[in-house]
Amino acid sequence: MSSETGFDPELYKRFPTQEKRPEGELKQLEDVWCGPRRPWEWITAINNNFIGVYYVGAAMLFFVLAGVLALLMRTQLALPLNGFLPQETYNQIFTMHGTVMMFLFAVPAVEALGVLLLPQMLGARDLPFPRLSAYAFWAYLVGGLAFFCSLFFGLAPNGGWFMYPPLTSMTYSPGINADFWLLGIGFIEISAIAGAIEIIVGVLKTRAPGMSLDKLPIFAWAMLIFACMIIIAFPSVILSTLLLELERALDWPFFDAARGGDPVLWQHLFWFFGHPEVYIIFLPAAGAMSTIIPVVARTRLVGHRMVVMAMLATGFISFGVWAHHMFTIGMPRLSINYFSAASMAVSVPAGVQVFAWIATLAAGRMRFNTPGLFAVGGLVIFVMGGLTGVMVAMVPFDWQAHDSYFIVAHLHYVLIGGMVFPLFAAIYYWLPMSSARPLSERWGRWIFWLMFAGHNITFLPMHLTGLMGMPRRVYTYLPGRGWDLLNVISTVGAFMFGLAVLLWIVDMMRNFRLFGAREAGNIYDGPGLEWLPNGLYSLRSIPVIKSLYPVWDQPDLARDVAAGRYFLPGAPRGERETIVTSPLNAEPQYLQRMPRPSSWHVWGAIFTAGFFLILTVQAYAASVISGLLAIYCIVKWCWNMDRPMAQASVDIGGGVRVPTYRSGPSSHGWWAMVITLIVGGMVCLLAGFAYVFLWSRRPDLWIAPPDMSGLIQGVGLLAVAGLCAWGGPAALKLDRPRSGVIAAVLLFVGAAALVAASATDFTTWMGAGLDPQASGQGATVFALMSWQALFVGIGAIMGVFAVARWLFGLASAAQPATFELIGLFLAFTAGQGAFVLLLTRLFPGAEMRSWLMMTGGLLVWAAHFLGVYLISSLGDVAATADAPAWRGAALVFSGACLVAEGAVLWLLARRARVTDDEGLAPFTIGVGLTGALAGLIGVVWQTAPILMAG
């Protein structure tokens, strides 16, 4: 096996070690990872064993609350012309039911399951950012409870969980009900993104040594794909809620057709999130099914690699299906045909997983315990929902069934079969890992059959009511239409389902014993690392992984792990630590210092939630104060990070020594920053889509952009910011007497240049007479500038933060990570600002070909810089592992970029001979020349160390 980082795989043969472990080693480990000892420490705890349980418990609380709302709705619909609920109350309950189920239960529940299980499953002490997980949880809990409580004051949203404008515009929803949804859900999705960042970095960087991607547990694969999908999809709902709130608060007409907006834009943005969310919910549940079914069948999963590929394909195809919900809005026939085909194609990888589960059950000897019943029941229900999904993917049928109760039935078959039943299977299967007593098998069987029967009695008749013409989203109906009996049956089934959930709550109260002296353990004989003996520190020692099913394949593994015969058997520096490994082969790279519990993340979450919630009631001064307090708490939280290390390297077992500090692409912090910037970039790209989309609707309302001088000034300032962002960390790494002050000043100047560029852009547009309330152009341009201004503001705080680090003596070449991450953020902000400038100034005012060539040149330039940066980060690999392939890749990639840049430059020069386009062509040529020259310098600068390594 070739090495990914220069680590010698032969070192794995030293394990398990045979030496006797030092006295007191285990006691020290237990003391370092001790649980709460005072009442308030239960709140400030950050260990995944606590936060994961809190998270799952909160998600199930919201599941129960949303279920109670569903029972109220079914009671209202049981009889025609029923007066149980007034229309406005029903609309609020209907909206809250869908919103709580989708946003406060489904996604948080599976994310919570990942936070709870992944450290033990991967053999890590904890996920790499435990405070971030805790912050995400408290923000979710506080924000979610406050949002739900709006129902008791008549302030709950009433426009449906999809919040379509113009129904939710100020004209038709003048109160603050819609604002609670827009600000509350937008904020809660930020919490989900924080959790996704934690999961991605955790799965890729904190696996047990030897756990290469082909040995990664199927549930971890599912969580990794789930988190990546959140990073791509959730920015869309953040943007859509932000745009609608701006329209309601500031009268910017994004969705007002009379002023150049379009309500269809909301549907594109919302469903770009909304339909992938179905698969975001399904994939972790499918991962749980692929974990549980082999255990209950007592055999290995059939087609493991095919299942992984199917999950990857599901995640990819799901982003091409969003207009599946928009067949009736009048899209072009070509678009309808494409989305219809994609909607059917996405069922193929789901079918691969279903057949793999069936084959596994057939190949083994099925044990019908409670997890097995829920797994098989979920499989049956999900297949039924999938069949109706293929039906509604056919456009003629969808035209007939759209907005009928047939769609309600289809939705619930997919979501309950694809997520709720697998979640209950997971709870019964993994609860003995955290509880001293397992849940009752006898009660579990009653709960399953009541839930299975209740679901089908509730939703199977809805297919008929839908086909008989009953529309969805109505609070009552007239008698004599043949719907009466079917609705009574559905209501009876709903109460059966509710009874099953009630029995489950009682069973939890009877048997769930958290953090006892010992857990119930591996009562179902699972094969994963999570079933090894563990404590609050996860595993006593981190084993070398040799197969997909380590507990089944290595009979002595549990004994050796508990005896401390593998990696990191103690706390070598007396701190909370975990091993960070490489993303492909999981080779040990360095020892990460984990944070201790504190209250800053809790207060930060509370004040962040307060900022959004107080903004809803338009108490702007109080909201600003809460926001400033949140910033203070987060800065205070970050201040103690990146501290000096007393030891440069430590022995992590078997004589294997690893560094105690890393920066750059091999560090976990770098990965987290890059993922965060991808989220910001997705929001900006989608805002750019909104800009182009609204132009295509009403180009007659658009005015000419400002003159080219403002563009040149802005690009110049952004170039200065980008150079300072690169120069600051580079200066620090020189490790000269004044490196710290030079690095801090460069980053501060870069942040100041970003502020100046943003101000220049704003003032030039104002001088051109653009009014954000007058047209879709004004609204989208100011929205893009506002998004950029948000990043500029954060960059300014970071610039001040860098100066403060230097003033307090914390700017050191030995710990450059903080300065590197600030530089990375500032560089991204400069690039994002250039995108905003060029898009709004050159499209559509510039001649189209010049614009396309300009965009192509800038994309090649950006790819060039990114490529040489990433390749240069592998210089150490080339030097230590003697990997000439990387040197060749650097040369080939750089050569290809230079050829592409030359081609773009030639095309621009050719274009300049036939058109001037108000000075655009000379300007683009200048930028093209600058890009090519900078790219050439970058090639020499970045690849020279790699070449010299050979």
Side-chain angles (χ1 to χ4, degrees):
M1 180 178 66
S2 61
S3 173
E4 180 185 359
T5 64
F7 180 83
D8 185 4
E10 291 295 315
L11 294 175
Y12 290 146
K13 295 181 179 179
R14 299 181 181 181
F15 301 94
T17 60
Q18 301 303 318
E19 299 85 3
K20 185 178 180 181
R21 301 309 308 166
E23 290 290 334
E25 184 180 65
L26 179 59
K27 178 66 166 56
Q28 182 191 33
L29 188 66
E30 292 172 343
D31 291 342
V32 166
W33 289 90
C34 66
R37 294 173 176 172
R38 304 176 186 88
W40 62 85
E41 290 182 355
W42 290 91
I43 297 175
T44 60
I46 58 175
N47 192 299
N48 78 291
N49 293 279
F50 297 94
I51 297 301
V53 171
Y54 295 171
Y55 223 145
V56 173
M60 296 309 294
L61 170 64
F62 285 117
F63 172 71
V64 171
L65 294 175
V68 172
L69 299 182
L71 294 179
L72 296 176
M73 291 163 56
R74 284 312 319 166
T75 303
Q76 167 64 20
L77 293 172
L79 300 172
L81 299 178
N82 197 352
F84 178 71
L85 293 175
Q87 180 178 357
E88 174 62 19
T89 303
Y90 180 89
N91 287 339
Q92 291 188 16
I93 289 176
F94 163 77
T95 302
M96 290 295 288
H97 166 73
T99 301
V100 172
M101 280 295 190
M102 297 301 288
F103 293 101
L104 295 178
F105 162 63
V107 173
V110 291
E111 195 165 66
L113 206 60
V115 170
L116 176 63
L117 297 177
L118 282 176
Q120 282 83 355
M121 193 175 284
L122 300 174
R125 291 275 189 248
D126 203 341
L127 291 174
F129 307 102
R131 274 195 201 149
L132 184 63
S133 292
Y135 172 85
F137 164 72
W138 289 110
Y140 154 71
L141 180 65
V142 173
L145 289 175
F147 173 72
F148 189 85
C149 288
S150 66
L151 192 64
F152 302 117
F153 300 96
L155 298 175
N158 55 7
W161 75 274
F162 34 78
M163 293 294 283
Y164 285 158
L167 177 62
T168 52
S169 66
M170 287 298 291
T171 303
Y172 301 103
S173 300
I176 64 172
N177 303 57
D179 300 307
F180 265 105
W181 192 96
L182 295 169
L183 292 171
I185 294 305
F187 162 67
I188 290 167
E189 297 318 301
I190 294 174
S191 170
I193 289 173
I197 294 171
E198 174 84 295
I199 288 170
I200 293 174
V201 181
V203 171
L204 292 177
K205 298 291 292 179
T206 60
R207 306 196 302 273
M211 187 184 282
S212 53
L213 291 181
D214 61 330
K215 302 182 187 70
L216 187 65
I218 196 77
F219 180 77
W221 266 115
M223 292 304 301
L224 177 62
I225 300 167
F226 153 88
C228 291
M229 291 178 69
I230 283 181
I231 297 303
I232 302 300
F234 277 40
S236 185
V237 74
I238 290 174
L239 176 66
S240 58
T241 55
L242 177 63
L243 296 185
L244 185 51
E245 183 59 30
L246 287 173
E247 177 171 299
R248 290 175 55 84
L250 303 179
D251 196 28
W252 293 4
F254 300 101
F255 311 108
D256 183 357
R259 291 181 286 166
D262 194 333
V264 174
L265 173 62
W266 170 271
Q267 295 196 37
H268 279 296
L269 292 176
F270 182 82
W271 289 118
F272 184 79
F273 144 81
H275 199 83
E277 189 191 22
V278 173
Y279 302 99
I280 287 172
I281 294 167
F282 165 68
L283 283 175
M289 293 273 281
S290 295
T291 302
I292 295 169
I293 284 177
V295 175
V296 298
R298 298 301 301 140
T299 189
R300 299 166 191 269
L301 179 67
V302 174
H304 172 89
R305 294 192 178 185
M306 289 297 295
V307 171
V308 172
M309 293 299 296
M311 290 194 294
L312 288 167
T314 299
F316 179 78
I317 298 173
S318 67
F319 285 100
V321 189
W322 80 87
H324 165 90
H325 298 265
M326 301 164 60
F327 286 157
T328 60
I329 69 167
M331 290 192 304
R333 182 174 298 177
L334 180 63
S335 299
I336 290 177
N337 290 339
Y338 164 76
F339 284 108
S340 176
S343 299
M344 287 184 276
V346 78
S347 65
V348 175
V352 170
Q353 296 176 73
V354 168
F355 282 115
W357 298 335
I358 294 172
T360 303
L361 291 172
R365 299 176 61 185
M366 176 71 181
R367 294 182 298 178
F368 288 97
N369 49 35
T370 304
L373 288 173
F374 273 105
V376 174
L379 173 61
V380 172
I381 293 172
F382 177 73
V383 168
M384 294 176 67
L387 294 175
T388 56
V390 175
M391 294 170 66
V392 297
M394 295 185 289
V395 178
F397 182 84
D398 184 81
W399 284 345
Q400 305 304 315
H402 193 80
D403 276 348
S404 75
Y405 258 79
F406 188 93
I407 302 299
V408 177
H410 159 68
L411 172 71
H412 285 84
Y413 264 88
V414 170
L415 293 182
I416 293 178
M419 187 269 170
V420 175
F421 271 72
L423 179 63
F424 273 89
I427 290 172
Y428 275 90
Y429 175 68
W430 275 300
L431 184 133
M433 194 181 82
S434 300
S435 172
R437 291 162 57 179
L439 297 181
S440 167
E441 277 290 314
R442 185 163 61 90
W443 279 56
R445 287 183 170 86
W446 275 99
I447 291 166
F448 165 75
W449 286 113
L450 278 172
M451 196 175 287
F452 186 81
H455 168 82
N456 286 286
I457 293 172
T458 302
F459 296 107
L460 193 61
M462 289 184 186
H463 294 95
L464 293 178
T465 54
L467 294 176
M468 294 168 66
M470 182 172 178
R472 62 194 295 199
R473 307 165 188 162
V474 294
Y475 86 105
T476 192
Y477 53 94
L478 295 173
R481 298 197 174 189
W483 307 338
D484 306 26
L485 177 61
L486 293 173
N487 274 296
V488 170
I489 293 172
S490 291
T491 301
V492 171
F495 277 90
M496 286 182 64
F497 198 103
L499 177 60
V501 175
L502 178 62
L503 290 177
W504 173 77
I505 293 172
V506 173
D507 195 19
M508 288 288 291
M509 295 173 64
R510 291 174 62 245
N511 291 305
F512 185 51
R513 298 294 181 269
L514 183 63
F515 308 127
R518 55 179 300 174
E519 294 77 27
N522 191 9
I523 63 174
Y524 298 111
D525 192 21
L529 294 182
E530 68 270 25
W531 296 115
L532 294 175
N534 61 74
L536 294 178
Y537 46 78
S538 186
L539 304 179
R540 162 70 195 281
S541 59
I542 300 175
V544 176
I545 304 304
K546 300 178 181 179
S547 71
L548 266 172
Y549 302 96
V551 173
W552 285 354
D553 296 340
Q554 297 172 249
D556 296 331
L557 185 63
R559 184 192 63 197
D560 291 337
V561 166
R565 293 176 178 172
Y566 285 98
F567 285 105
L568 205 61
R573 295 183 299 171
E575 300 188 59
R576 296 189 177 191
E577 299 156 323
T578 194
I579 299 174
V580 175
T581 53
S582 62
L584 299 181
N585 294 335
E587 298 169 354
Q589 287 188 295
Y590 64 99
L591 194 64
Q592 178 196 347
R593 176 167 51 193
M594 309 292 287
R596 295 278 190 144
S598 73
S599 60
W600 292 113
H601 63 278
V602 180
W603 289 112
I606 292 172
F607 288 127
T608 305
F611 170 76
F612 285 92
L613 295 170
I614 297 171
L615 198 62
T616 302
V617 298
Q618 301 174 0
Y620 298 118
S623 179
V624 169
I625 293 173
S626 183
L628 292 174
L629 289 172
I631 292 172
Y632 173 78
C633 292
I634 293 171
V635 169
K636 190 70 176 177
W637 161 10
C638 296
W639 183 258
N640 293 324
M641 298 166 60
D642 204 17
R643 291 171 292 156
M645 301 290 181
Q647 300 168 265
S649 65
V650 294
D651 186 338
I652 57 172
V656 177
R657 298 190 70 85
V658 295
T660 58
Y661 188 90
R662 277 288 179 91
S663 61
S666 62
S667 71
H668 59 287
W670 185 90
W671 282 70
M673 176 60 79
V674 169
I675 297 168
T676 304
L677 296 180
I678 290 172
V679 174
M682 279 300 303
V683 174
C684 190
L685 284 174
L686 290 165
F689 163 78
Y691 174 86
V692 176
F693 181 83
L694 293 185
W695 168 79
S696 71
R697 289 301 189 257
R698 291 293 303 274
D700 56 297
L701 295 179
W702 288 45
I703 67 172
D707 59 51
M708 297 299 294
S709 62
L711 177 59
I712 295 172
Q713 292 174 28
V715 171
L717 288 167
L718 292 172
V720 170
L723 288 172
C724 290
W726 170 81
L732 185 65
K733 289 180 181 178
L734 293 175
D735 198 16
R736 303 288 173 80
R738 297 184 180 179
S739 290
V741 62
I742 293 172
V745 169
L746 282 174
L747 292 178
F748 183 81
V749 171
L754 289 174
V755 173
S758 188
T760 299
D761 195 22
F762 176 79
T763 54
T764 53
W765 274 111
M766 292 294 290
L770 186 66
D771 182 358
Q773 296 180 343
S775 67
Q777 180 194 20
T780 49
V781 168
F782 273 77
L784 281 162
M785 290 193 298
S786 299
W787 182 253
Q788 173 66 7
L790 172 65
F791 275 71
V792 169
I794 297 172
I797 295 173
M798 287 185 169
V800 174
F801 187 82
V803 173
R805 298 280 293 186
W806 166 71
L807 289 173
F808 282 85
L810 297 176
S812 166
Q815 283 87 34
T818 296
F819 278 59
E820 284 185 349
L821 297 182
I822 293 175
L824 189 60
F825 184 90
L826 296 180
F828 170 84
T829 305
Q832 180 176 261
F835 170 79
V836 172
L837 270 173
L838 294 170
L839 175 64
T840 56
R841 304 301 182 98
L842 302 182
F843 181 91
E847 196 272 332
M848 184 61 70
R849 280 192 211 173
S850 297
W851 157 247
L852 291 175
M853 287 187 290
M854 178 66 181
T855 304
L858 289 171
L859 287 175
V860 172
W861 183 20
H864 197 162
F865 268 109
L866 178 63
V868 294
Y869 177 71
L870 292 176
I871 291 173
S872 70
S873 70
L874 299 167
D876 291 338
V877 176
T880 58
D882 191 22
W886 288 116
R887 298 194 290 274
L891 291 175
V892 171
F893 178 82
S894 298
C897 287
L898 285 174
V899 170
E901 287 164 354
V904 171
L905 182 61
W906 177 76
L907 289 172
L908 288 171
R910 228 180 129 195
R911 192 74 191 156
R913 289 199 296 268
V914 296
T915 179
D916 182 51
D917 201 4
E918 299 182 359
L920 172 64
F923 175 67
T924 54
I925 291 173
V927 173
L929 281 169
T930 305
L933 180 61
L936 182 60
I937 294 172
V939 171
V940 176
W941 181 267
Q942 302 281 16
T943 59
I946 303 177
L947 293 172
M948 292 173 64

